[in-house]
C-alpha cells in the first residue's frame, strides 16, 4: 500500500468524503487558474480537525502546504508534493459578531466579512471589500487597500501549530508589517480571526464600500484570472507606474500578459502556464531595473515544483 492509500484511510476516519481530494489540479484552487496537481488536498472544517490533520502529516512525514483562497499564489506546473491543507468558506467560513467584535473562520472571504460588518453597522473593514482573498490569507499577508490594512483591525488570532497544538496570538505578537506577519515564518495555520471594529453608520459604511468597489472595477483587470498585484510596492514608487513607464503594458509570454488595464497585474489571458508567468515576471523585473534602477520584488507567493 502506498502512502496515499494509508494516509487517505486514516483521514477518512475523521473527515467526510468531500473534504479529501487526491491528485487535485491546483488550477481549480487558485484565482490564477494555473498549477499542476497536489498529491492530496484536504479541506478542514474546524481547529480540532486541523490539529488531527497535522498530527497525521507528522506521522507520515510528508510535506504540507497551507492555503487560503488561493488568491495570492502561483502554483508551479508540476504541482505540490504531499498535502495541501486549504481553508475555504464552504468548510471554514463562519462569521459571527459579539458587540463590536467579529469572529471569522480562516476560510471566510474578505468581502463576506466586510459585508457582514456593514450589516452590523461596524466600521473598519470597508477597505477589504475588494480584496479577493480569505481572512486567514489576509492576516498571513497583512493585506491592505485604499485607507486600511489588517494590522488596524486584528485583535486576536487562533492558530494551530504543526505539532497540533492550539495557540493564541494577540495583535502585538503578530509582527505585522507591509505584506508580512509572523505566520510567514512560524508554520502555524490560522484558524480564527478576531477583529476589533467601531460602531458606525450603516449607510456611510456601505457607501464607502461601494466607492472602493467602483474604483477597483474601473482600474483593475478583473475580467481575467490573476493573483492580484504581482509586485510589492517599491519604496517611493508604484510598481504599476514603473512597469507602464517602461512600456511593458500588454507584454506577453505565452498566455501570461502584463495587463493592458493596470500594469501592476500579470493576467492569464487563456491557458497560461506557471512557466509563462515566471518568465514574464523576470522579463518585467529585468527591464524595469535596466530603465529605472529599481528592483521589483514579487508579492505573489510562488509554491510547488
Amino acid at each position: 500500500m502506498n502512502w496515499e492509500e494509508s494516509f487517505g484511510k486514516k483521514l477518512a476516519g475523521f473527515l467526510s468524503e468531500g473534504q479529501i481530494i487526491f491528485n487535485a489540479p491546483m488550477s481549480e484552487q487558485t484565482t490564477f487558474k494555473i498549477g499542476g496537481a497536489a498529491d492530496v488536498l484536504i479541506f478542514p472544517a474546524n481547529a480540532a480537525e486541523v490539529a488531527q490533520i497535522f498530527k497525521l502529516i507528522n506521522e507520515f512525514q510528508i510535506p504540507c502546504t497551507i492555503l487560503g483562497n488561493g488568491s495570492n499564489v502561483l502554483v508551479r506546473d508540476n504541482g505540490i508534493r504531499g498535502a495541501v491543507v486549504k481553508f475555504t468558506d464552504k468548510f471554514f467560513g463562519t462569521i459571527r459578531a459579539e458587540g463590536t467584535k467579529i469572529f471569522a473562520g480562516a476560510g471566510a472571504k474578505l468581502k463576506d466579512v466586510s459585508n457582514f460588518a456593514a450589516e452590523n453597522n461596524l466600521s473598519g473593514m470597508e477597505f477589504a471589500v475588494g480584496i479577493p482573498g480569505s481572512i486567514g490569507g489576509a492576516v498571513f499577508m497583512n493585506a491592505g487597500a485604499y485607507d486600511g490594512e489588517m494590522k488596524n483591525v486584528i485583535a486576536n488570532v487562533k492558530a494551530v501549530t504543526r505539532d497540533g497544538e492550539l495557540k493564541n496570538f494577540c495583535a502585538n505578537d503578530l509582527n505585522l508589517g507591509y505584506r508580512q506577519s509572523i505566520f510567514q515564518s512560524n508554520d502555524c495555520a490560522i484558524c480564527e480571526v478576531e477583529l476589533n471594529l467601531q460602531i458606525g453608520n450603516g449607510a456611510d459604511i456601505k457607501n464607502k464600500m461601494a466607492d472602493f468597489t467602483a474604483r477597483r472595477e474601473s482600474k483593475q483587470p478583473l475580467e481575467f484570472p490573476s493573483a492580484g498585484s504581482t509586485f510589492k510596492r517599491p519604496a517611493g514608487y508604484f510598481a504599476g507606474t514603473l512597469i507602464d513607464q517602461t512600456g511593458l503594458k500588454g507584454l506577453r509570454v505565452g498566455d501570461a500578459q502584463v495587463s493592458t488595464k493596470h500594469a501592476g497585474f500579470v493576467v492569464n489571458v487563456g491557458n497560461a502556464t506557471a512557466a509563462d508567468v515566471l518568465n514574464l515576471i523576470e522579463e518585467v523585473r529585468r527591464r524595469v531595473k535596466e530603465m529605472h534602477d529599481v528592483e521589483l520584488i514579487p508579492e505573489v507567493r510562488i509554491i510547488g515544483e
Side-chain angles (χ1 to χ4, degrees):
M1 191 186 287
N2 59 20
W3 74 264
E4 282 106 329
E5 270 182 74
S6 37
F7 184 69
K9 276 189 177 160
K10 291 205 172 182
L11 282 175
F14 62 92
L15 298 178
S16 67
E17 203 181 320
Q19 288 177 270
I20 312 160
I21 304 172
F22 284 93
N23 197 30
M26 295 310 291
S27 55
E28 294 172 10
Q29 303 296 332
T30 63
T31 57
F32 229 149
K33 306 284 182 229
I34 291 171
D39 290 340
V40 58
L41 177 63
I42 309 164
F43 302 106
N46 53 57
E49 286 183 1
V50 176
Q52 278 183 283
I53 290 163
F54 282 173
K55 284 174 180 169
L56 207 52
I57 283 167
N58 291 341
E59 183 189 320
F60 279 79
Q61 295 188 313
I62 56 174
C64 171
T65 304
I66 301 167
L67 270 191
N69 193 43
S71 60
N72 193 46
V73 294
L74 173 66
V75 178
R76 291 190 180 96
D77 297 315
N78 289 335
I80 303 175
R81 300 294 65 81
V84 173
V85 179
K86 191 165 195 270
F87 291 79
T88 67
D89 58 340
K90 180 182 174 184
F91 291 106
F92 220 117
T94 55
I95 309 168
R96 61 191 168 86
E98 284 179 22
T100 56
K101 292 188 182 298
I102 282 181
F103 297 83
K109 287 193 171 135
L110 277 173
K111 72 170 181 359
D112 294 339
V113 178
S114 299
N115 286 321
F116 182 85
E119 295 300 331
N120 285 275
N121 300 318
L122 293 174
S123 175
M125 276 300 282
E126 293 91 331
F127 75 93
V129 69
I131 300 172
S134 62
I135 191 102
V139 173
F140 182 89
M141 289 297 293
N142 185 28
Y146 301 113
D147 65 345
E149 60 180 343
M150 291 305 298
K151 183 180 181 175
N152 305 335
V153 291
I154 300 169
N156 197 64
V157 177
K158 279 187 183 152
V160 172
T161 70
R162 291 299 178 101
D163 294 327
E165 303 299 322
L166 198 61
K167 195 170 176 181
N168 261 323
F169 294 85
C170 69
N172 292 336
D173 301 330
L174 297 177
N175 189 24
L176 296 168
Y178 176 63
R179 301 296 174 265
Q180 80 169 37
S181 76
I182 195 169
F183 296 105
Q184 292 172 15
S185 56
N186 73 0
D187 257 1
C188 292
I190 297 159
C191 289
E192 186 182 71
V193 181
E194 179 188 326
L195 304 171
N196 214 355
L197 304 178
Q198 289 85 43
I199 290 171
N201 177 292
D204 291 345
I205 292 166
K206 286 175 184 171
N207 285 340
K208 195 173 184 181
M209 282 161 55
D211 173 48
F212 288 158
T213 300
R215 282 201 253 170
R216 181 170 177 267
E217 286 174 351
S218 70
K219 288 178 183 161
Q220 295 184 11
L222 306 180
E223 63 277 18
F224 292 112
S226 80
S229 295
T230 307
F231 299 99
K232 292 180 181 178
R233 191 173 63 236
Y237 299 93
F238 290 102
T241 308
L242 288 172
I243 296 164
D244 196 1
Q245 288 169 351
T246 312
L248 301 180
K249 262 189 180 174
L251 181 70
R252 271 177 82 149
V253 173
D255 277 343
Q257 182 184 55
V258 175
S259 167
T260 54
K261 193 173 184 180
H262 187 314
F265 288 69
V266 168
V267 293
N268 178 0
V269 295
N271 293 303
T273 63
D276 291 340
V277 174
L278 291 170
N279 288 333
L280 183 57
I281 284 174
E282 278 317 302
E283 185 60 14
V284 168
R285 292 182 69 197
R286 186 184 70 76
R287 293 207 209 170
V288 168
K289 173 77 175 157
E290 207 171 77
M291 185 174 277
H292 301 280
D293 199 28
V294 177
E295 197 77 61
L296 290 183
I297 308 295
E299 182 176 312
V300 179
R301 283 175 66 217
I302 297 155
I303 58 176
E305 57 181 41

